[in-house]
Amino acid sequence: MKKIFMTLAAAFVAVSMNAQMYVGGGVGFQSVSHDGNSETAFTLLPEVGYNLDENMSLGMVFGYGEKGKDENKIKVFTINPYLRYNLVKFDNVSLFVDGGFDFTNTKYHAYKNNTWGLGVKPGVAVNLNEKISFVAHMGFLGYRSSKDDTDGAKAYNTVGLALDGTDLSFGFYYNF
């Protein structure tokens, strides 16, 4: 048993030493004012990934956000595991596509909504230097289903391609 454990530990250390991991994500903050009332919104989207080889990566985005204040606060939690495939590389620029599953839970007072999707998101990564990369995603091709968490609620299903600003995101990565 000791030999098996030591072999597994040595294998883990060897993989970790050669790991091509990255961490990063995106953040957002805004303040809206109207007729003397103001509210703030923020999102925090940390991301971690592992480069399997030069063209494939596995990653995960965890997200949390809030909008509004006091009794009108909306809370959003999201999780998005993905498999990334680099399509083309030009020096420091890579065009890629992320295929994955996403889940979002929204809460507002007693109202709850769950949305999940399965699809692909195209993107571009610009390596600013050996360690730092700027990454942007735009669009979504796939299936999404949204349903309120109440008795008798019907799901709202969407299939198709969206290339608008609602599926636009920016972030930075630190490559180990």
Side-chain angles (χ1 to χ4, degrees):
M1 186 67 161
K2 233 185 213 184
K3 289 181 183 180
I4 293 172
F5 177 72
M6 292 304 288
T7 303
L8 289 174
F12 178 76
V13 169
V15 168
S16 296
M17 287 174 56
N18 294 322
Q20 294 295 318
M21 295 192 67
Y22 56 90
V23 295
V27 295
F29 178 81
Q30 71 183 92
S31 178
V32 178
S33 179
H34 179 69
D35 287 340
N37 296 319
S38 65
E39 65 180 38
T40 59
F42 78 90
T43 56
L44 182 60
L45 297 163
E47 185 169 346
V48 62
Y50 181 81
N51 295 318
L52 300 172
D53 62 29
E54 197 169 300
N55 291 320
M56 300 281 283
S57 303
L58 283 174
M60 176 84 71
V61 177
F62 302 92
Y64 180 77
E66 289 185 0
K67 180 179 180 180
K69 61 182 179 180
D70 302 329
E71 70 278 350
N72 293 321
K73 188 174 288 188
I74 299 170
K75 297 179 181 181
V76 178
F77 170 77
T78 188
I79 186 168
N80 173 230
Y82 63 85
L83 175 68
R84 175 170 295 163
Y85 181 73
N86 288 319
L87 300 168
V88 180
K89 288 187 178 184
F90 308 100
D91 284 332
N92 294 334
V93 178
S94 298
L95 301 178
F96 63 84
V97 63
D98 286 353
F101 171 81
D102 58 72
F103 174 79
T104 302
N105 175 267
T106 304
K107 293 180 183 179
Y108 175 70
H109 295 292
Y111 169 80
K112 295 178 185 174
N113 178 280
N114 295 312
T115 302
W116 66 271
L118 187 62
V120 295
K121 298 176 185 177
V124 61
V126 179
N127 297 326
L128 302 175
N129 61 38
E130 188 177 302
K131 297 291 187 183
I132 306 293
S133 299
F134 171 77
V135 179
H137 291 87
M138 179 170 175
F140 178 79
L141 172 62
Y143 175 80
R144 284 191 174 144
S145 179
S146 180
K147 183 178 178 186
D148 292 341
D149 193 7
T150 60
D151 290 336
K154 303 267 188 218
Y156 181 75
N157 302 309
T158 306
V159 176
L161 173 66
L163 290 173
D164 57 22
T166 59
D167 286 301
L168 178 64
S169 65
F170 301 101
F172 286 94
Y173 294 164
Y174 179 82
N175 302 291
F176 290 96

